[in-house]
Amino acid sequence: MKIKNILKGAVFGVFAVSGAAHAEVTLNALFMAQAAYSEDDIRNMTEDFKSANPGVNVNVELVPYEALHDKIVLSQSANGYDVVLYDVIWPAEFAQYQLLENVTDRVDADTRKGILDGAWTTVEYDGSLYGMPWIADTKFLFYNKEMLKKAGFDTPPATWAELESQAKAIKDKGIVDYPLVWSWSQSEAAICDYTTILSGMGGQFLDADGKPAFNTGGGLKALEYMVDTIDDGLTNPNSREYLEEDVRRVFSSGQAAFALNWGYMYNLANDPAESQVAGHVGIAPAPGTAGISTASAVNGSMGLGIPTKSEHKEEAWKYIQFLTSQKVQDQYAKLSLPVWEASYSNPDVIKGQEPFVDAAKTSLAVMAPRPTMAAYQEASSVLQEALQNAMLGTQTPADALNGAAEAIGDIQ
Amino acid sequence: MISHRKTVTAWLLLTPMIVIILGVSGYPLIKTIYFSLTGAKLIAPDMTSIWVGFDNYIRALSSSKFREAIWHTTYFAVISVGVEMVIGVLVALLLNEAFKGRTLLRAMLILPLALPTVVNAMMWRLIYNPDFGALNALLLQFGMLDAYRSWLGDPASALDMVILADVWKNFPLVALIALAALQTVPKDLYEAATLDGAGVWNRFWRITLPAIMGPLSVALVLRTIEAFKVFDIIYVMTRGGPASSTKTVSFYVYQEAFAYMRVGSGASYALIVVLISASLIAGYMYLIRKQGEV
């Protein structure tokens, strides 16, 4: 009897040990180190997740946004990641190649209702969900209150024309050499700025038949506007090689009166440790166009998904649910606003950043999408080159956009 | 009979090596050639590769963007390798002379070579920065520039600026090879030439250069191959911009195969590049051999 018990115990013990060893799972997660949540935020959230879920370990890897897409795609053959952060423009392509797990059945009705509609478009393609929205973001107009006051303006511009005239007044008074700064390098960042202006000027990327239409109407006016501000010396000419962090640096060092950037810049530009203009930073929805729009915005949201090749899908989903939960998002709401509707009336989220939350309420409601197409990456790089050609003066805006429209039509 | 057995033994001994070489470089090459004749996608679970024959090649050669990329690459290779050869030889000549601090300078020569290309690219990006870059500050202080300018943001200067960064990193390789070769040139040749009344210029052209030509051409071939497949320094410094003025063929191949996922046409682009470098190398080899015969 005794021996039997000992044996039983031994067998049980072996099982328990191997069971524990089995429960030790390591997730590989891929994020970006650019705008939105900072590396510290992501690591802290992950630590919280780990202590709440013993036995699950998470390796966090951060790459620049420019490397994110290719990294996700290439890791597919190497079976690399269990959780990936991805941009709103990729689900069409990812769905076509079955890169991401379809999680439609995992999302319950309360979650569907609780999260902003605009955020859901980030992860939705053809009626299926390929992850959870995590970052709800768009481009805002940041302004230096002190400079505006010196030039005699009490309020930020409401229209793109007014932005131009305020910038001109600021330049003429010698307050700053180049009042405007943007992220117009040959990159997706430039497409986001262009889309923002295009949407505010009533433009369309694609017409009702899905053919390129950005070379007419608001799309053409947007690029002409961009080129004009460079030619008139209002836009910092180096904008043509800037990414988001360059824009933040220039604006935070007091070398610009206005900047278009993601929401994360609000609290950083107001932080004395990061900025020389702390306390003077205002934020407003990007302006609109008289008679057409009251504000402009681009959908710059991002989501978290599970690659189809992941071997730890359950744990990965747990981790995603944790990161996208309202509790965690409300706790880390300084650099990236939550995707949950209720968060926007949570005093803990609003406190200390009322102007940011106010601007977001307006902007997030009017976010314009970039076109949904499987060959988005290629179409985008064609358009990036066209924008550069026009901004560098090697082509007129009309010629550049007509050429891009033709090339994108061929890709489709 | 014995010689036959020897041959068999030799083949037996060589077989493992041949298998390894075929596995490591033969298989990928053949696979790439196969891919280039198909419409293969990088990741397409349900899509079988579609045979397209030479369509990829026809499309590649008729694409004006690809021709532009070939031109950028050629320009990059010719200028950077040319400048590296000249500076490398000049520096080697200097370091071959006896003077105080020579050992220190020789040691410092290794520094750029030891730097990873990505680190070098980041460093030069800071130097060229339009707002706080050292190059702008330097030129402004010397009065050679009226105002800070954007070096990598201007299509007229971007590629040249990348070339400068590449030259800084890679000229030491040429210099080291040339320096090693210089030390093998017999001193009495120079003494004899001086007695015969040959000047500095004549001595360089008739003694030094022919003597180091062999090792130097090895450096030339190595550097040309490297320069022709330039990728990382471009990826870090400009990502092909501004207005695609620094897009080289390797960057083009990368985009085609990995960003747009068209492995098939990416492979055809890559093989065209291989063909170009192979013919360049063949040309060099021919020239070197011809020189040996003279």
Side-chain angles (χ1 to χ4, degrees):
Chain A
M1 207 55 186
K2 237 181 183 174
I3 292 174
K4 215 176 171 185
N5 269 344
I6 292 169
L7 264 179
K8 237 180 179 174
V11 170
F12 187 76
V14 167
F15 264 81
V17 167
S18 68
H22 193 72
E24 190 71 41
V25 165
T26 299
L27 298 175
N28 291 310
L30 182 68
F31 298 93
M32 67 163 182
Q34 195 165 329
Y37 295 114
S38 67
E39 177 166 1
D40 284 347
D41 280 358
I42 295 171
R43 292 199 187 280
N44 289 337
M45 290 177 199
T46 304
E47 283 310 312
D48 294 346
F49 171 77
K50 282 198 276 190
S51 44
N53 293 274
V56 183
N57 200 12
V58 185
N59 281 335
V60 169
E61 186 179 339
L62 292 108
V63 296
Y65 172 82
E66 272 64 38
L68 194 58
H69 171 270
D70 300 352
K71 197 102 175 162
I72 294 173
V73 169
L74 293 182
S75 70
Q76 189 69 357
S77 47
N79 188 11
Y81 297 104
D82 302 294
V83 172
V84 292
L85 174 68
Y86 65 93
D87 202 357
V88 58
I89 47 194
W90 302 331
E93 181 187 33
F94 288 179
Q96 185 188 337
Y97 294 115
Q98 296 167 26
L99 268 174
L100 291 177
E101 188 77 356
N102 184 339
V103 297
T104 318
D105 297 337
R106 291 179 191 253
V107 181
D108 59 49
D110 285 347
T111 309
R112 282 226 72 152
K113 254 203 310 220
I115 291 179
L116 298 164
D117 288 340
W120 279 119
T121 61
T122 314
V123 295
E124 195 167 357
Y125 179 71
D126 222 8
S128 293
L129 300 177
Y130 291 93
M132 285 285 287
W134 190 43
I135 297 169
D137 210 352
T138 187
K139 293 260 181 172
F140 296 94
L141 182 73
F142 292 85
Y143 58 97
N144 187 314
K145 291 182 198 164
E146 211 178 24
M147 289 182 188
L148 260 66
K149 204 185 267 171
K150 260 193 220 163
F153 301 111
D154 297 328
T155 52
T159 64
W160 291 105
E162 206 182 324
L163 174 66
E164 211 174 348
S165 61
Q166 288 196 2
K168 190 157 181 358
I170 289 169
K171 187 182 173 80
D172 289 347
K173 289 199 170 141
I175 297 168
V176 67
D177 286 345
Y178 298 112
L180 304 170
V181 62
W182 322 72
S183 49
W184 288 351
S185 61
Q186 188 166 349
S187 66
E188 192 60 33
I191 302 289
C192 293
D193 284 11
Y194 172 69
T195 307
T196 307
I197 306 174
L198 171 146
S199 79
M201 296 193 170
Q204 292 282 325
F205 259 112
L206 306 175
D207 62 17
D209 304 327
K211 294 270 163 280
F214 53 80
N215 52 334
T216 57
L220 178 58
K221 275 189 210 143
L223 184 55
E224 282 171 347
Y225 179 87
M226 290 160 72
V227 172
D228 282 348
T229 63
I230 295 176
D231 293 344
D232 296 343
L234 301 177
T235 283
N236 186 327
N238 298 335
S239 294
R240 292 171 297 193
E241 59 173 292
Y242 284 161
L243 287 172
E244 291 89 339
E245 280 293 83
D246 301 300
V247 171
R248 178 163 83 88
R249 177 174 47 74
V250 170
F251 183 80
S252 297
S253 61
Q255 293 173 49
F258 298 101
L260 198 68
N261 208 344
W262 305 107
Y264 83 109
M265 186 163 99
Y266 181 71
N267 281 302
L268 289 176
N270 265 326
D271 175 359
E274 290 271 345
S275 163
Q276 293 164 32
V277 297
H280 304 301
V281 179
I283 184 171
T289 307
I292 296 177
S293 60
T294 51
S296 318
V298 56
N299 189 350
S301 304
M302 297 182 84
L304 292 170
I306 309 170
T308 39
K309 291 274 181 71
S310 164
E311 282 168 3
H312 308 294
K313 288 184 181 130
E314 294 312 313
E315 290 84 356
W317 180 245
K318 247 193 201 168
Y319 181 49
I320 290 178
Q321 275 184 310
F322 179 84
L323 292 180
T324 57
S325 68
Q326 194 182 345
K327 188 172 153 278
V328 172
Q329 290 224 302
D330 286 359
Q331 194 185 337
Y332 293 91
K334 292 291 172 209
L335 299 178
S336 179
L337 289 175
V339 296
W340 297 84
E341 204 170 347
S343 301
Y344 292 79
S345 47
N346 177 356
D348 292 339
V349 172
I350 301 168
K351 204 170 156 259
Q353 51 177 354
E354 292 81 358
F356 181 20
V357 175
D358 277 349
K361 278 181 188 163
T362 309
S363 291
L364 295 181
V366 297
M367 291 195 298
R370 284 164 275 169
T372 303
M373 52 194 287
Y376 180 82
Q377 288 298 98
E378 193 175 0
S380 168
S381 77
V382 168
L383 188 54
Q384 287 167 25
E385 195 179 325
L387 297 183
Q388 286 259 307
N389 277 323
M391 291 190 289
L392 291 161
T394 50
Q395 273 184 311
T396 65
D399 285 349
L401 289 181
N402 286 338
E406 197 180 317
I408 291 174
D410 288 346
I411 295 168
Q412 285 177 320
Chain B
M1 219 37 206
I2 289 166
S3 82
H4 176 70
R5 191 176 290 160
K6 259 190 180 166
T7 323
V8 170
T9 320
W11 276 109
L12 272 177
L13 288 172
L14 283 172
T15 305
M17 206 56 225
I18 290 171
V19 169
I20 289 172
I21 289 174
L22 282 182
V24 171
S25 53
Y27 173 73
L29 183 67
I30 287 165
K31 188 110 188 188
T32 308
I33 294 173
Y34 169 74
F35 272 148
S36 76
L37 301 170
T38 70
K41 294 278 189 172
L42 185 59
I43 32 162
D46 299 331
M47 270 181 250
T48 42
S49 295
I50 309 146
W51 187 262
V52 297
F54 286 97
D55 276 9
N56 285 333
Y57 290 92
I58 294 164
R59 224 158 48 97
L61 293 173
S62 57
S63 153
S64 64
K65 302 272 175 202
F66 184 60
R67 282 202 301 267
E68 255 172 56
I70 290 185
W71 162 242
H72 293 151
T73 313
T74 313
Y75 180 83
F76 180 91
V78 170
I79 305 288
S80 69
V81 173
V83 175
E84 280 160 24
M85 296 308 284
V86 173
I87 296 183
V89 169
L90 289 178
V91 168
L93 286 173
L94 177 73
L95 292 180
N96 199 36
E97 300 298 316
F99 62 92
K100 225 176 164 189
R102 181 175 75 162
T103 323
L104 182 73
L105 275 183
R106 279 185 181 179
M108 274 172 66
L109 201 58
I110 310 282
L111 205 68
L113 264 187
L115 222 55
T117 310
V118 173
V119 176
N120 181 51
M122 293 297 288
M123 187 182 84
W124 280 93
R125 251 178 65 146
L126 287 177
I127 294 174
Y128 293 149
N129 188 291
D131 303 311
F132 53 78
L135 184 65
N136 274 322
L138 186 79
L139 293 180
L140 199 73
Q141 272 168 21
F142 280 110
M144 292 162 78
L145 210 62
D146 300 328
Y148 277 26
R149 57 166 292 185
S150 166
W151 299 100
L152 292 173
D154 181 353
S157 65
L159 193 53
D160 292 327
M161 290 295 136
V162 176
I163 288 175
L164 179 61
D166 186 70
V167 166
W168 182 82
K169 178 170 164 44
N170 288 316
F171 88 86
L173 178 78
V174 181
L176 284 174
I177 292 178
L179 185 58
L182 278 175
Q183 286 166 4
T184 63
V185 185
K187 289 271 179 291
D188 41 359
L189 274 179
Y190 291 105
E191 282 163 21
T194 316
L195 283 177
D196 288 343
V200 175
W201 199 238
N202 254 326
R203 273 176 291 169
F204 175 76
W205 279 114
R206 298 193 183 257
I207 303 172
T208 315
L209 204 57
I212 63 171
M213 209 51 205
L216 214 54
S217 41
V218 173
L220 182 73
V221 172
L222 281 178
R223 283 303 310 140
T224 310
I225 299 170
E226 283 286 314
F228 222 85
K229 58 181 201 200
V230 60
F231 175 77
D232 35 11
I233 195 168
I234 302 272
Y235 185 87
V236 176
M237 287 186 76
T238 63
R239 292 193 61 87
S244 297
S245 61
T246 59
K247 203 178 261 181
T248 59
V249 276
S250 289
F251 197 85
Y252 203 92
V253 171
Y254 167 81
Q255 250 187 345
E256 188 73 12
F258 299 125
Y260 310 154
M261 302 201 215
R262 287 192 293 261
V263 171
S265 75
S268 70
Y269 288 133
L271 285 169
I272 292 173
V273 181
V274 168
L275 222 64
I276 296 173
S277 348
S279 45
L280 270 177
I281 295 160
Y284 281 144
M285 290 305 200
Y286 175 75
L287 285 177
I288 292 167
R289 214 163 278 169
K290 219 173 150 197
Q291 220 169 32
E293 284 163 13
V294 171

